[in-house]
Amino acid sequence: MPTGAIPLVPIERRDPERYRLFALSSLAFAVLGGFALAIHIPLGRILEWASEGRRPDMVQVHGQVQLLAFAGLFVMGMAMRLMPRFASTSLRLEALVLPVWGLFVASLGARLLVSLWLPSEPRTIVHLATQFGILLGSAGFFLIVYATLLVDTRRLEATAWFFLAGAAFLVLQAGAATFVAIREAPSDERTLPYLPNTAVLFLQLGFVMSFIGGVATRAIPTMSGWRRPEPGAKRAAVALSASVLLAALPLLWLEYEGYSTGVARLADLGLIAFGGSLVAIAGLTGALWPEEQRLRPASQPHMRLVKAALIWMLLAGGYAVYAGAAAFVEGSLPHFDRLDALRHALGAGVIMTLIFGMALMVLPEFAGERQRPNRQRQLSSALLLLALSAAALRVLPSLFGTRIGPDERNFMLLAAGIAGEAGVLLFTVAFARLVFRRRA
C-alpha cells in the first residue's frame, strides 16, 4: 500500500441502517420511475402511443423524480451519515429521520402515480397534497441539518457551509413549488408553467450541488494528496448559493410580475455565476491534477468515475457561462435546449456518475467486500461506460437542437435512457446484494 494511503473503511456508528433506507429508496425511484420514464417518453414518441398526450406531465415528473427522489434521497441519507463525523457530535433530532423519509417516499411516489393515471380533479388535489408533504419533509431535514451542524458554530468548516445552504435550498424549492402549485391549481393544467418550473429546478440543483460540493471539497482533495481548501471552499459555497438564487428568483418575478429585459439579464448573470461556481468546485477538489495517489489499489479504479464526474462538472460549468453570456448579450433568457443540455450534463454526467464513484469508495458495504476477492473493478468499468454513454447521448440531442430530425433525437434519448437504466440497475443489484448479505 502506498505511504499515507487511505483505507476508506468508514467507522460504524450507532444506527448504521439509516443511510441504507434512503439509498435503497433512491435507487428504487431511479429504476422504477426516473429512468423508466426516460425510456418510456422517447419510445412513446417513436411508436406513437396514446400516452403521448401526457408527455409534458411525464417530463416534469421525470425531472422531479431524478432530482428529489434519486439524487435527493441518496444525498440526504449520506448527509445524515456524514454530518456527525464532520461536526464531531451525534445526529440531532433523530426522531425526525423516519418521518422525513416517509414524507418524501410517500409524496414523490404519489406524485409519480397521480400525474400519470388520475383524471384532472383528483390529480390536482393529490398534487397539492404531495407538494405539502415534500415541504414538510424538507422542513424536517432542514431542522436535522441545522441542529446537528450548529451545535458548535466555532467548528463550522466549509463542508458545513455547503450543507447548511443545501438544506435551505431544499426548503426553498419545496416552498416555491407549493406556491406555484397553489397559484396554478384553478387553471387545472397538467404541468407547471415553464419559468416557475425552471426556477424550482434551479433550486433543486442548488440543493443537490451544495451537498456534492461539501463532500467533494472535503473528501476528494485528501484522496488526491492535496490539503483541504477551506478558504476557497467557503467562497465557493457562498458563490454557489448566491448564483442559484440569482438564477431562480428572477424567473418567478418574470412569470408573476411581468417580463422585463433587466430582470431576464439578472437571471443570465445568475447562470454565469452558477457555471463559475461549478468550475471552482471541480478545481478545488484537485482530483484532475493529483499530488500523489493516496488510495489503496483496490479503490483506485473507482476514482475514474469521480474524475469523469468532475470533468462533466467543468464542462457543464463552462457551458453555463457560455449560455448565460449569450443570453445576456441578446437581452433574453437562455434557450430551452441550452438549459436542457445543462441540466442533463449535471444530472447524468455529474450527479449519477459521482454517486457511483463515491459510493463504491466509501460505503462500508463495498469497503467490506474489498477485504476478499471481488469483481469491483469490472463493476466500476461497466458503470463508467454506461454513465458516460447515458450522459453523452442525453446531452447531444439538446446541443444539436433542430440540426437533427425528431427520429434521430428520439432514438438518442431512448439509448440514453436505456444506458442510464442499465447503470442504475447494475449498481442497485450490487449494493442491495451486499446490504442484505450483511443483514442475513
Side-chain angles (χ1 to χ4, degrees):
M1 183 176 74
T3 303
I6 301 174
L8 291 180
V9 181
I11 300 171
E12 292 288 346
R13 292 180 183 265
R14 187 166 59 92
D15 192 14
E17 305 290 330
R18 188 166 38 230
Y19 71 91
R20 294 178 187 163
L21 189 63
F22 281 82
L24 289 172
S25 301
S26 154
L27 296 170
F29 269 109
V31 171
L32 301 175
F35 284 104
L37 282 174
I39 294 172
H40 178 86
I41 293 168
L43 193 60
R45 293 169 177 161
I46 294 169
L47 300 179
E48 299 180 350
W49 286 344
S51 62
E52 178 64 7
R54 300 197 302 272
R55 180 180 58 82
D57 204 22
M58 291 180 182
V59 170
Q60 285 196 359
V61 174
H62 161 74
Q64 189 173 50
V65 167
Q66 293 294 70
L67 278 175
L68 284 186
F70 173 38
L73 285 172
F74 204 98
V75 160
M76 291 162 68
M78 293 307 299
M80 286 189 281
R81 180 172 184 271
L82 295 173
M83 280 190 299
R85 303 160 187 263
F86 296 163
S88 298
T89 186
S90 60
L91 190 73
R92 302 306 169 98
L93 304 180
E94 286 191 69
L96 293 178
V97 172
L98 283 180
V100 166
W101 171 81
L103 283 166
F104 268 89
V105 169
S107 299
L108 290 167
R111 174 79 174 96
L112 178 64
L113 294 176
V114 302
S115 297
L116 302 181
W117 286 296
L118 281 187
S120 297
E121 186 174 349
R123 186 192 67 236
T124 301
I125 295 171
V126 177
H127 183 199
L128 285 171
T130 61
Q131 290 295 353
F132 278 109
I134 293 170
L135 180 58
L136 287 174
S138 300
F141 182 69
F142 174 91
L143 291 174
I144 293 171
V145 172
Y146 274 66
T148 302
L149 295 180
L150 296 182
V151 169
D152 184 359
T153 56
R154 295 170 299 177
R155 299 178 60 86
L156 281 181
E157 299 177 340
T159 301
W161 287 36
F162 276 110
F163 280 23
L164 293 169
F169 277 126
L170 182 61
V171 174
L172 283 174
Q173 68 81 28
T178 303
F179 166 78
V180 175
I182 293 172
R183 285 288 300 261
E184 301 299 326
S187 65
D188 197 32
E189 292 291 333
R190 296 191 67 92
T191 59
L192 299 181
Y194 172 70
L195 291 180
N197 185 63
T198 303
V200 171
L201 286 173
F202 265 116
L203 294 172
Q204 290 172 353
L205 283 172
F207 152 58
V208 176
M209 295 308 298
S210 291
F211 280 94
I212 284 178
V215 173
T217 56
R218 181 185 180 97
I220 299 176
T222 306
M223 300 174 188
S224 305
W226 288 86
R227 180 178 297 178
R228 291 205 330 247
E230 278 294 306
K234 287 180 177 179
R235 289 193 291 270
V238 172
L240 179 65
S241 300
S243 68
V244 169
L245 291 174
L246 190 58
L249 298 183
L251 299 180
L252 295 173
W253 179 278
L254 293 172
E255 178 69 22
Y256 296 112
E257 297 296 331
Y259 188 84
S260 163
T261 300
V263 175
R265 281 187 163 138
L266 283 178
D268 297 335
L269 289 174
L271 184 58
I272 294 170
F274 179 67
S277 301
L278 296 180
V279 171
I281 291 169
L284 287 168
T285 65
L288 301 179
W289 37 84
E291 285 280 305
E292 60 177 302
Q293 179 57 260
R294 299 197 63 201
L295 293 173
R296 282 183 169 179
S299 299
Q300 290 174 14
H302 310 324
M303 194 64 181
R304 296 175 301 175
L305 282 157
V306 174
K307 289 182 177 180
L310 294 173
I311 290 172
W312 271 108
M313 190 182 292
L314 285 173
L315 293 173
Y319 189 71
V321 171
Y322 162 73
F328 185 87
V329 171
E330 296 169 358
S332 63
L333 294 172
H335 190 272
F336 168 82
D337 280 340
R338 290 178 176 175
L339 291 180
D340 188 66
L342 174 62
R343 287 196 299 265
H344 287 93
L346 291 174
V350 177
I351 296 170
M352 181 176 71
T353 311
L354 200 58
I355 284 175
F356 290 163
M358 292 300 292
L360 285 169
M361 284 197 289
V362 306
L363 285 183
E365 290 80 9
F366 292 110
E369 187 186 42
R370 287 195 288 274
Q371 308 308 309
R372 56 185 182 272
N374 61 81
R375 303 187 67 181
Q376 285 192 17
R377 179 183 292 271
Q378 293 87 340
L379 172 63
S380 182
S381 297
L383 291 174
L384 178 62
L385 176 62
L386 291 168
L388 291 177
S389 299
L393 287 167
R394 184 56 188 82
V395 170
L396 285 175
S398 296
L399 294 180
F400 288 144
T402 57
R403 286 172 287 179
I404 60 173
D407 289 340
E408 291 84 353
R409 180 185 181 91
N410 287 325
F411 277 112
M412 291 178 73
L413 296 179
L414 177 61
I418 292 172
E421 179 79 24
V424 174
L425 185 60
L426 181 62
F427 178 81
T428 301
V429 170
F431 179 60
R433 176 177 58 84
L434 294 174
V435 167
F436 293 110
R437 174 186 293 174
R438 286 166 64 98
R439 291 172 62 91

Short mmCIF file of all heavy atoms in Angstrom, two decimals, residues 91-128:
data_model
loop_
_atom_site.label_atom_id
_atom_site.label_comp_id
_atom_site.label_asym_id
_atom_site.label_seq_id
_atom_site.Cartn_x
_atom_site.Cartn_y
_atom_site.Cartn_z
N LEU A 91 -25.98 12.76 15.61
CA LEU A 91 -27.03 13.34 14.79
C LEU A 91 -28.15 13.82 15.71
O LEU A 91 -28.64 13.08 16.57
CB LEU A 91 -27.57 12.31 13.81
CG LEU A 91 -28.52 12.85 12.74
CD1 LEU A 91 -27.75 13.66 11.70
CD2 LEU A 91 -29.27 11.71 12.06
N ARG A 92 -28.57 15.06 15.53
CA ARG A 92 -29.62 15.63 16.37
C ARG A 92 -30.99 15.40 15.73
O ARG A 92 -31.11 15.21 14.52
CB ARG A 92 -29.37 17.12 16.58
CG ARG A 92 -28.01 17.42 17.22
CD ARG A 92 -27.84 16.64 18.52
NE ARG A 92 -26.49 16.68 19.04
CZ ARG A 92 -26.11 17.53 20.01
NH1 ARG A 92 -26.96 18.40 20.51
NH2 ARG A 92 -24.86 17.50 20.46
N LEU A 93 -32.02 15.47 16.58
CA LEU A 93 -33.42 15.32 16.14
C LEU A 93 -33.61 14.02 15.36
O LEU A 93 -34.28 13.97 14.33
CB LEU A 93 -33.85 16.51 15.29
CG LEU A 93 -33.71 17.90 15.93
CD1 LEU A 93 -34.18 18.98 14.96
CD2 LEU A 93 -34.51 17.98 17.22
N GLU A 94 -33.04 12.92 15.89
CA GLU A 94 -33.13 11.63 15.20
C GLU A 94 -34.58 11.16 15.04
O GLU A 94 -34.88 10.38 14.12
CB GLU A 94 -32.33 10.58 15.96
CG GLU A 94 -30.83 10.73 15.82
CD GLU A 94 -30.10 9.51 16.35
OE1 GLU A 94 -30.21 8.44 15.72
OE2 GLU A 94 -29.44 9.63 17.39
N ALA A 95 -35.46 11.62 15.90
CA ALA A 95 -36.86 11.21 15.80
C ALA A 95 -37.51 11.67 14.50
O ALA A 95 -38.54 11.13 14.09
CB ALA A 95 -37.65 11.75 17.00
N LEU A 96 -36.90 12.67 13.84
CA LEU A 96 -37.45 13.17 12.58
C LEU A 96 -37.00 12.38 11.37
O LEU A 96 -37.55 12.56 10.27
CB LEU A 96 -37.06 14.64 12.39
CG LEU A 96 -37.65 15.66 13.36
CD1 LEU A 96 -37.11 17.05 13.05
CD2 LEU A 96 -39.16 15.65 13.28
N VAL A 97 -36.01 11.51 11.52
CA VAL A 97 -35.42 10.85 10.36
C VAL A 97 -36.45 10.00 9.61
O VAL A 97 -36.63 10.13 8.40
CB VAL A 97 -34.20 10.01 10.77
CG1 VAL A 97 -33.72 9.15 9.59
CG2 VAL A 97 -33.08 10.90 11.26
N LEU A 98 -37.12 9.12 10.31
CA LEU A 98 -38.10 8.25 9.64
C LEU A 98 -39.29 9.05 9.09
O LEU A 98 -39.73 8.77 7.96
CB LEU A 98 -38.58 7.16 10.59
CG LEU A 98 -37.60 5.99 10.79
CD1 LEU A 98 -38.20 4.96 11.74
CD2 LEU A 98 -37.25 5.33 9.46
N PRO A 99 -39.84 10.02 9.82
CA PRO A 99 -40.89 10.84 9.20
C PRO A 99 -40.44 11.56 7.94
O PRO A 99 -41.20 11.66 6.97
CB PRO A 99 -41.27 11.83 10.31
CG PRO A 99 -40.95 11.11 11.58
CD PRO A 99 -39.72 10.31 11.27
N VAL A 100 -39.21 12.08 7.92
CA VAL A 100 -38.69 12.74 6.72
C VAL A 100 -38.64 11.76 5.56
O VAL A 100 -39.10 12.05 4.46
CB VAL A 100 -37.29 13.34 6.99
CG1 VAL A 100 -36.60 13.72 5.68
CG2 VAL A 100 -37.40 14.56 7.89
N TRP A 101 -38.10 10.59 5.82
CA TRP A 101 -38.03 9.57 4.77
C TRP A 101 -39.44 9.19 4.29
O TRP A 101 -39.70 9.13 3.08
CB TRP A 101 -37.33 8.32 5.31
CG TRP A 101 -37.39 7.15 4.38
CD1 TRP A 101 -36.62 6.92 3.29
CD2 TRP A 101 -38.32 6.06 4.47
NE1 TRP A 101 -36.99 5.75 2.68
CE2 TRP A 101 -38.02 5.19 3.38
CE3 TRP A 101 -39.35 5.72 5.34
CZ2 TRP A 101 -38.74 4.02 3.16
CZ3 TRP A 101 -40.06 4.55 5.13
CH2 TRP A 101 -39.76 3.71 4.05
N GLY A 102 -40.36 8.97 5.23
CA GLY A 102 -41.70 8.58 4.86
C GLY A 102 -42.43 9.64 4.06
O GLY A 102 -43.14 9.33 3.08
N LEU A 103 -42.27 10.91 4.43
CA LEU A 103 -42.92 12.00 3.71
C LEU A 103 -42.41 12.09 2.27
O LEU A 103 -43.19 12.28 1.33
CB LEU A 103 -42.72 13.32 4.44
CG LEU A 103 -43.59 13.55 5.67
CD1 LEU A 103 -43.06 14.71 6.50
CD2 LEU A 103 -45.04 13.81 5.26
N PHE A 104 -41.10 11.96 2.10
CA PHE A 104 -40.54 12.05 0.75
C PHE A 104 -40.95 10.86 -0.11
O PHE A 104 -41.36 11.03 -1.27
CB PHE A 104 -39.01 12.17 0.80
CG PHE A 104 -38.52 13.58 0.83
CD1 PHE A 104 -38.35 14.24 2.03
CD2 PHE A 104 -38.26 14.27 -0.34
CE1 PHE A 104 -37.92 15.55 2.06
CE2 PHE A 104 -37.83 15.57 -0.33
CZ PHE A 104 -37.65 16.22 0.88
N VAL A 105 -40.87 9.67 0.44
CA VAL A 105 -41.21 8.48 -0.34
C VAL A 105 -42.69 8.48 -0.70
O VAL A 105 -43.07 8.24 -1.87
CB VAL A 105 -40.84 7.20 0.44
CG1 VAL A 105 -41.42 5.97 -0.24
CG2 VAL A 105 -39.32 7.07 0.53
N ALA A 106 -43.55 8.78 0.27
CA ALA A 106 -44.99 8.79 0.00
C ALA A 106 -45.36 9.90 -0.97
O ALA A 106 -46.14 9.69 -1.92
CB ALA A 106 -45.76 8.95 1.31
N SER A 107 -44.81 11.10 -0.77
CA SER A 107 -45.18 12.24 -1.61
C SER A 107 -44.68 12.08 -3.03
O SER A 107 -45.41 12.31 -4.00
CB SER A 107 -44.65 13.53 -1.00
OG SER A 107 -45.19 13.75 0.28
N LEU A 108 -43.41 11.69 -3.18
CA LEU A 108 -42.86 11.53 -4.52
C LEU A 108 -43.48 10.32 -5.24
O LEU A 108 -43.71 10.37 -6.45
CB LEU A 108 -41.34 11.39 -4.44
CG LEU A 108 -40.61 12.67 -4.04
CD1 LEU A 108 -39.15 12.38 -3.68
CD2 LEU A 108 -40.67 13.71 -5.14
N GLY A 109 -43.75 9.26 -4.49
CA GLY A 109 -44.42 8.12 -5.10
C GLY A 109 -45.81 8.47 -5.58
O GLY A 109 -46.22 8.10 -6.69
N ALA A 110 -46.55 9.21 -4.74
CA ALA A 110 -47.90 9.62 -5.15
C ALA A 110 -47.85 10.59 -6.32
O ALA A 110 -48.67 10.52 -7.24
CB ALA A 110 -48.61 10.27 -3.95
N ARG A 111 -46.86 11.49 -6.30
CA ARG A 111 -46.71 12.45 -7.40
C ARG A 111 -46.47 11.71 -8.71
O ARG A 111 -47.03 12.06 -9.76
CB ARG A 111 -45.53 13.37 -7.10
CG ARG A 111 -45.16 14.33 -8.24
CD ARG A 111 -46.08 15.52 -8.28
NE ARG A 111 -45.63 16.49 -9.27
CZ ARG A 111 -46.08 16.58 -10.50
NH1 ARG A 111 -47.00 15.73 -10.92
NH2 ARG A 111 -45.63 17.49 -11.32
N LEU A 112 -45.67 10.68 -8.67
CA LEU A 112 -45.38 9.90 -9.86
C LEU A 112 -46.65 9.20 -10.37
O LEU A 112 -46.96 9.24 -11.57
CB LEU A 112 -44.30 8.87 -9.55
CG LEU A 112 -43.88 7.91 -10.65
CD1 LEU A 112 -43.25 8.66 -11.81
CD2 LEU A 112 -42.92 6.86 -10.11
N LEU A 113 -47.38 8.60 -9.46
CA LEU A 113 -48.55 7.82 -9.88
C LEU A 113 -49.71 8.68 -10.34
O LEU A 113 -50.32 8.43 -11.38
CB LEU A 113 -48.99 6.91 -8.72
CG LEU A 113 -48.00 5.81 -8.32
CD1 LEU A 113 -48.51 5.05 -7.11
CD2 LEU A 113 -47.75 4.86 -9.48
N VAL A 114 -50.05 9.73 -9.58
CA VAL A 114 -51.24 10.50 -9.92
C VAL A 114 -51.04 11.31 -11.19
O VAL A 114 -52.00 11.55 -11.94
CB VAL A 114 -51.65 11.45 -8.77
CG1 VAL A 114 -51.91 10.67 -7.50
CG2 VAL A 114 -50.63 12.54 -8.53
N SER A 115 -49.82 11.73 -11.45
CA SER A 115 -49.58 12.52 -12.66
C SER A 115 -49.75 11.69 -13.92
O SER A 115 -50.02 12.23 -14.99
CB SER A 115 -48.18 13.11 -12.63
OG SER A 115 -48.05 14.00 -11.55
N LEU A 116 -49.60 10.39 -13.79
CA LEU A 116 -49.66 9.54 -14.96
C LEU A 116 -51.04 8.92 -15.18
O LEU A 116 -51.42 8.65 -16.32
CB LEU A 116 -48.63 8.42 -14.85
CG LEU A 116 -47.16 8.89 -14.70
CD1 LEU A 116 -46.24 7.69 -14.63
CD2 LEU A 116 -46.77 9.80 -15.84
N TRP A 117 -51.81 8.73 -14.09
CA TRP A 117 -53.03 7.95 -14.26
C TRP A 117 -54.32 8.62 -13.79
O TRP A 117 -55.38 8.32 -14.32
CB TRP A 117 -52.88 6.60 -13.54
CG TRP A 117 -51.98 5.68 -14.29
CD1 TRP A 117 -52.18 5.15 -15.53
CD2 TRP A 117 -50.70 5.20 -13.86
NE1 TRP A 117 -51.11 4.36 -15.89
CE2 TRP A 117 -50.19 4.37 -14.89
CE3 TRP A 117 -49.94 5.37 -12.72
CZ2 TRP A 117 -48.97 3.72 -14.79
CZ3 TRP A 117 -48.72 4.73 -12.62
CH2 TRP A 117 -48.25 3.93 -13.65
N LEU A 118 -54.27 9.48 -12.79
CA LEU A 118 -55.53 10.01 -12.28
C LEU A 118 -56.12 11.07 -13.19
O LEU A 118 -55.38 11.81 -13.84
CB LEU A 118 -55.31 10.62 -10.89
CG LEU A 118 -55.24 9.65 -9.71
CD1 LEU A 118 -55.20 10.43 -8.41
CD2 LEU A 118 -56.40 8.68 -9.69
N PRO A 119 -57.44 11.22 -13.25
CA PRO A 119 -58.06 12.29 -14.01
C PRO A 119 -57.81 13.64 -13.35
O PRO A 119 -57.25 13.72 -12.27
CB PRO A 119 -59.55 11.94 -14.00
CG PRO A 119 -59.72 11.06 -12.80
CD PRO A 119 -58.44 10.31 -12.66
N SER A 120 -58.27 14.71 -14.00
CA SER A 120 -57.85 16.06 -13.66
C SER A 120 -58.13 16.45 -12.22
O SER A 120 -57.23 16.83 -11.48
CB SER A 120 -58.52 17.07 -14.60
OG SER A 120 -58.09 16.85 -15.92
N GLU A 121 -59.39 16.40 -11.78
CA GLU A 121 -59.72 16.99 -10.47
C GLU A 121 -59.01 16.30 -9.31
O GLU A 121 -58.33 16.97 -8.53
CB GLU A 121 -61.23 16.99 -10.26
CG GLU A 121 -61.64 17.73 -8.99
CD GLU A 121 -63.14 17.85 -8.87
OE1 GLU A 121 -63.84 17.56 -9.85
OE2 GLU A 121 -63.61 18.24 -7.78
N PRO A 122 -59.14 14.97 -9.16
CA PRO A 122 -58.39 14.35 -8.05
C PRO A 122 -56.89 14.49 -8.21
O PRO A 122 -56.15 14.57 -7.23
CB PRO A 122 -58.83 12.88 -8.08
CG PRO A 122 -59.39 12.67 -9.44
CD PRO A 122 -59.96 13.99 -9.86
N ARG A 123 -56.40 14.53 -9.47
CA ARG A 123 -54.97 14.69 -9.67
C ARG A 123 -54.50 16.02 -9.11
O ARG A 123 -53.46 16.12 -8.47
CB ARG A 123 -54.63 14.60 -11.16
CG ARG A 123 -53.12 14.61 -11.43
CD ARG A 123 -52.81 14.81 -12.89
NE ARG A 123 -53.18 16.14 -13.32
CZ ARG A 123 -54.01 16.39 -14.32
NH1 ARG A 123 -54.56 15.40 -14.97
NH2 ARG A 123 -54.30 17.63 -14.66
N THR A 124 -55.27 17.09 -9.34
CA THR A 124 -54.88 18.40 -8.84
C THR A 124 -54.85 18.42 -7.32
O THR A 124 -53.92 18.96 -6.71
CB THR A 124 -55.88 19.47 -9.36
OG1 THR A 124 -55.87 19.46 -10.79
CG2 THR A 124 -55.49 20.85 -8.86
N ILE A 125 -55.85 17.81 -6.69
CA ILE A 125 -55.91 17.78 -5.23
C ILE A 125 -54.73 17.00 -4.66
O ILE A 125 -54.05 17.44 -3.72
CB ILE A 125 -57.25 17.17 -4.77
CG1 ILE A 125 -58.41 18.08 -5.20
CG2 ILE A 125 -57.25 16.97 -3.26
CD1 ILE A 125 -59.77 17.47 -4.99
N VAL A 126 -54.47 15.82 -5.23
CA VAL A 126 -53.38 14.99 -4.72
C VAL A 126 -52.04 15.66 -5.00
O VAL A 126 -51.11 15.58 -4.19
CB VAL A 126 -53.44 13.58 -5.34
CG1 VAL A 126 -52.26 12.74 -4.87
CG2 VAL A 126 -54.74 12.90 -4.97
N HIS A 127 -51.92 16.34 -6.15
CA HIS A 127 -50.69 17.06 -6.45
C HIS A 127 -50.39 18.10 -5.38
O HIS A 127 -49.27 18.22 -4.90
CB HIS A 127 -50.81 17.72 -7.83
CG HIS A 127 -49.57 18.42 -8.27
ND1 HIS A 127 -49.57 19.38 -9.26
CD2 HIS A 127 -48.29 18.34 -7.84
CE1 HIS A 127 -48.35 19.83 -9.42
NE2 HIS A 127 -47.56 19.22 -8.57
N LEU A 128 -51.41 18.86 -4.97
CA LEU A 128 -51.22 19.85 -3.90
C LEU A 128 -50.82 19.16 -2.60
O LEU A 128 -49.93 19.64 -1.88
CB LEU A 128 -52.50 20.65 -3.70
CG LEU A 128 -52.81 21.71 -4.77
CD1 LEU A 128 -54.21 22.28 -4.56
CD2 LEU A 128 -51.77 22.83 -4.71
#
